[in-house]
Amino acid sequence: MSEASVPARLRFAPSPNGRLHLGHAYSALVNETFAARLGGDLCLRIEDIDPVRSRPELIAAIEEDLAWLGIGFSGAVRRQSEHLPAYRHALESLRSRGLAYPCFCSRAAVIEAAGPVPSRDPDGAPLYPGTCRVLSDEERAARLAAGLPHGWRLDMAHALTRSPGPHRFRCLDADHAETSHVADPVRWGDVLIARRDVPTSYHLSVVIDDAVQGISHVVRGADLFASTDLHVLLQALLGYDGPAYHHHALVLGPDGMKLAKSRGSESLGDLRGQGVTPAEIRRRLGFA
Ligand code: GLU
């Protein structure tokens, strides 16, 4: 099948850490608009790898809010928590090629080792200073054999030796005009690709799921633009073709900040309770 005849496939991928708010509604509606214009499918993916913050009642509420908004999804809902073996397998592939190493550092230890004026990754976290990268093979094996808690980090320098790039990704603007961007993954340093509690991370799972689900266009908020730099490197290392990307503007609150439950942003459920209709939400967000 030629590339032009492969139908477009998009996904909306909320994390069930809280109720959806207007920012999520906007993202889902931009996805719906792109899918309609591209004549493609829109899938729902629940990014529930966090075993503490993801709660079944929040997943049910997300599905209910999206149905209330009138957004239709194709196919079965993909829940990341049901695909941990696939993520473990990808991690093992990176590990067996020496591209990932176990990290035994606690968050506090990383902050301490990074020093008083650390370089930071695009999310603002201190860049990992490489403490566990330089462990001897014996020390690493002893710690693993002792069952010490550990996550897994990408060995960025080694990854870039294996896949030097330049890594490019296609970006669509709101009118679907395409530009090519050069990714700068090195700014993520030795990023954590598997947490201590699950054999994956947001970055690893999202790259695998976009590939496994055949996603042709990733439409998501501008706050994830820098993450795309890392995602295209992981795609190259895992042998996946990259989708095209559209990073949409974020809905800001009256304080000029991104909406967040932690900052008291009203949820769609709250708005529904106040008698706001789906049509009003769409109008308010510019989708009349
Ligand atoms: N699960 C992420 C979120 O809720 C979105 C990830 C993505 O679209 O790549 O912010």
Side-chain angles (χ1 to χ4, degrees):
M1 205 185 260
S2 74
E3 198 183 318
S5 61
V6 176
R9 181 180 287 259
L10 292 83
R11 85 306 193 270
F12 176 58
S15 305
N17 304 335
R19 294 294 299 262
L20 298 185
H21 51 57
L22 282 175
H24 296 108
Y26 183 74
S27 194
L29 290 166
V30 179
N31 266 288
E32 181 186 63
T33 306
F34 263 77
R37 279 208 245 143
L38 292 164
D41 289 337
L42 176 59
C43 320
L44 178 61
R45 179 195 306 154
I46 301 292
E47 301 208 326
D48 59 346
I49 58 164
D50 188 321
V52 178
R53 295 174 73 207
S54 303
R55 301 207 313 267
E57 64 273 23
L58 288 171
I59 298 176
I62 285 174
E63 295 189 24
E64 197 186 313
D65 286 342
L66 292 168
W68 173 76
L69 252 188
I71 299 191
F73 292 98
S74 310
V77 177
R78 181 175 173 96
R79 291 195 187 183
Q80 290 190 324
S81 59
E82 293 170 359
H83 299 279
L84 297 183
Y87 309 138
R88 194 176 282 117
H89 186 260
L91 177 63
E92 176 55 26
S93 151
L94 295 171
R95 196 206 58 73
S96 66
R97 286 179 282 154
L99 298 170
Y101 61 86
C103 175
F104 304 91
C105 298
S106 64
R107 198 176 293 225
V110 173
I111 291 171
E112 160 113 38
V117 196
S119 303
R120 293 184 182 274
D121 74 16
D123 281 346
L127 280 182
Y128 184 63
T131 320
C132 289
R133 189 193 331 112
V134 296
L135 291 179
S136 67
D137 289 347
E138 294 73 33
E139 178 64 21
R140 192 172 281 155
R143 291 190 189 188
L144 289 174
L148 293 189
H150 59 279
W152 291 83
R153 290 186 180 273
L154 185 69
D155 184 332
M156 181 60 77
H158 193 186
L160 289 174
T161 309
R162 282 296 183 87
S163 179
H167 300 280
R168 294 180 184 280
F169 58 99
R170 293 171 294 135
C171 266
L172 301 184
D173 69 15
D175 298 320
H176 294 196
E178 195 172 302
T179 48
S180 173
H181 282 249
V182 177
D184 179 20
V186 78
R187 59 189 173 139
W188 286 96
D190 284 5
V191 65
L192 203 63
I193 51 169
R195 304 156 36 132
R196 283 180 171 207
D197 50 354
V198 280
T200 191
S201 61
Y202 159 63
H203 297 300
L204 186 61
S205 313
V206 82
V207 162
I208 293 166
D209 285 5
D210 286 340
V212 168
Q213 291 189 282
I215 300 300
S216 59
H217 296 76
V218 168
V219 172
R220 61 185 177 193
D223 53 338
L224 291 169
F225 186 80
S227 294
T228 304
D229 287 2
L230 175 60
H231 297 176
V232 295
L233 173 61
L234 290 173
Q235 285 156 5
L237 295 172
L238 293 168
Y240 298 141
D241 287 336
Y245 290 87
H246 172 72
H247 297 95
H248 59 72
L250 300 178
V251 179
L252 304 179
D255 55 0
M257 305 281 283
K258 179 181 150 185
L259 299 183
K261 192 177 165 51
S262 54
R263 278 194 291 278
S265 304
E266 278 177 321
S267 70
L268 296 182
D270 295 335
L271 293 167
R272 183 158 30 140
Q274 293 161 22
V276 177
T277 65
E280 280 168 33
I281 301 267
R282 284 176 181 257
R283 217 172 14 252
R284 215 191 265 194
L285 293 172
F287 296 86

